[in-house]
Amino acid sequence: MADTHGNSHHQTDVAIVGAGPVGLFTVFECGMVRLNCHVVDVLDDAGGQCTALYPEKPIYDIPGFPRVEAAELIVRLKAQAAAFRPIYHLGEQVRGLEPLTGGFWRLTTSKGTVIQARAVIVAAGVGAFGPNRPPLAGIEAYEGRSVFYYVTQRESFRGKRVVIAGGGDTAVDWALSLAEIAARVSVIHRRDRFRAAPESEARLKALAQAGKVDLVVPYQLHGLEGENGQLTSVAVATLDGAVKKIEADALLPFFGLSMALGPIADWGLALERNQIAVEPATMATSLKGIYGVGDIVSYPGKLKLILTGFAEAAIAARSAYAQIHPETPLHFEYSTTQGIPNS
């Protein structure tokens, strides 16, 4: 996978904003119609939420894969896109987007990279995202060492005393998973009922009854103890203020993500409920030459699934081709007869 270094001014057929699974497949679909791509993503690696939030979680609804871990899906999507030699600008956020004469758009990133593109495809997922941090004094000193908002390597918690805070699917799913390898898993939630899938909640409570997981309810986080970034215990409190301590090597607070469109909100695109409105037949936005795919877009009947985004990528790539090469109609071919075009 290529990264750009040195030259900060580029020209390309298509600029793709977002390198999650749908963004990566958009590279492939653009390549299939002989469009070159530059890809920009604010994260330091491709993969979006699949890489940053749940690389080891299985996905079951990708065609052809009865089960595939998120990280493995990204590896395969990168390999599929690599045939068309995309240029990646990772760790950069698109800050500015403005039209130029001649049908080009100019994108400017947080690192000063300038990309001129004939078309732009926004595949930014949920937009800019980050964890909702619990309001605990001094938590910053532990972040990245013994307080983690994402689990990227399940094995790193083997044999450790893990405290998980939260009541949603992420908290419950990781409690079930880490109970297999951790020395102890304690789940803190402010009520006895969880917001997770009923089947997962039932499994969690069965583990608690078997003594394999500690359910600390109804409690909420109260404080942290440790030194040099390493936790020794987590203090929790009831709503009445009764406090107790739980010995801990790691704390995983799962209170959801803070999501926002970020600079995309200022690009002049028509929005619907904080998402980009598109025409589903073409994936075109309200601005000519800009298209949207994946979870960031909205239209009647939209399904927020990765596989839906894959289909949208195919539509957007062909719409971009028709805009860039209006004089040369695209002859539709199946990949089985077309093969992989020379990029």
Side-chain angles (χ1 to χ4, degrees), residues 218-235:
Y219 280 85
Q220 55 192 2
L221 293 176
H222 183 72
L224 305 175
E225 289 188 357
E227 57 183 28
N228 299 322
Q230 179 55 58
L231 282 174
T232 55
S233 68
V234 174

Side-chain angles (χ1 to χ4, degrees), residues 122-146:
V122 183
V126 296
F129 64 87
N132 288 319
R133 290 172 166 82
L136 296 176
I139 192 172
E140 296 85 0
Y142 299 96
E143 291 175 345
R145 299 190 63 184
S146 54

Side-chain angles (χ1 to χ4, degrees), residues 7-301:
N7 180 18
S8 61
H9 287 73
H10 310 270
Q11 185 167 312
T12 188
D13 293 323
V14 178
I16 299 171
V17 182
V22 174
L24 292 173
F25 193 65
T26 302
V27 173
F28 173 80
E29 287 294 340
C30 285
M32 291 295 284
V33 293
R34 295 179 173 83
L35 297 179
N36 297 317
C37 296
H38 280 238
V39 187
V40 185
D41 198 289
V42 70
L43 299 179
D44 292 328
D45 197 4
Q49 292 188 61
C50 288
T51 297
L53 301 185
Y54 47 88
E56 295 182 340
K57 289 191 70 173
I59 303 173
Y60 299 98
D61 60 354
I62 302 299
F65 292 92
R67 169 192 166 113
V68 61
E69 289 189 352
E72 175 65 17
L73 176 63
I74 297 305
V75 168
R76 291 174 178 267
L77 287 167
K78 286 180 185 176
Q80 190 176 34
F84 302 111
R85 296 192 290 274
I87 304 299
Y88 293 87
H89 307 267
L90 301 176
E92 303 186 41
Q93 183 180 53
V94 177
R95 295 282 177 82
L97 177 68
E98 55 184 323
L100 301 175
T101 56
F104 281 88
W105 287 92
R106 180 166 65 191
L107 297 81
T108 306
T109 78
S110 54
K111 292 187 178 178
T113 301
V114 176
I115 303 169
Q116 290 187 189
R118 299 292 299 273
V120 177
I121 301 178
V122 183
V126 296
F129 64 87
N132 288 319
R133 290 172 166 82
L136 296 176
I139 192 172
E140 296 85 0
Y142 299 96
E143 291 175 345
R145 299 190 63 184
S146 54
V147 172
F148 305 94
Y149 300 103
Y150 317 122
V151 176
T152 56
Q153 293 184 325
R154 173 178 179 261
E155 194 63 26
S156 63
F157 297 96
R158 179 176 291 276
K160 293 187 176 181
R161 300 165 298 177
V162 180
V163 173
I164 295 175
D169 283 306
T170 302
V172 172
D173 287 350
W174 279 117
L176 296 173
S177 178
L178 294 177
E180 300 172 359
I181 63 170
R184 199 67 190 168
V185 172
S186 302
V187 180
I188 303 167
H189 189 41
R190 58 187 177 182
R191 58 177 63 93
D192 184 52
R193 298 194 62 178
F194 290 78
R195 301 183 309 279
E199 189 173 305
S200 298
E201 181 179 1
R203 288 177 58 201
L204 178 68
K205 291 186 175 179
L207 287 178
Q209 289 178 353
K212 296 180 180 179
V213 168
D214 293 325
L215 288 186
V216 186
V217 293
Y219 280 85
Q220 55 192 2
L221 293 176
H222 183 72
L224 305 175
E225 289 188 357
E227 57 183 28
N228 299 322
Q230 179 55 58
L231 282 174
T232 55
S233 68
V234 174
V236 297
T238 65
L239 298 179
D240 296 329
V243 177
K244 70 176 183 178
K245 294 181 181 179
I246 304 170
E247 293 182 347
D249 301 305
L251 169 65
L252 306 177
F254 293 130
F255 296 126
L257 297 176
S258 174
M259 303 178 185
L261 284 179
I264 295 173
D266 301 322
W267 293 354
L269 298 167
L271 303 176
E272 291 180 1
R273 297 178 183 174
N274 217 35
Q275 294 173 295
I276 299 172
V278 298
E279 168 52 55
T282 60
M283 304 313 296
T285 71
S286 59
L287 297 179
K288 185 178 180 180
I290 301 181
Y291 306 87
V293 294
D295 284 355
I296 201 166
V297 306
S298 174
Y299 54 83

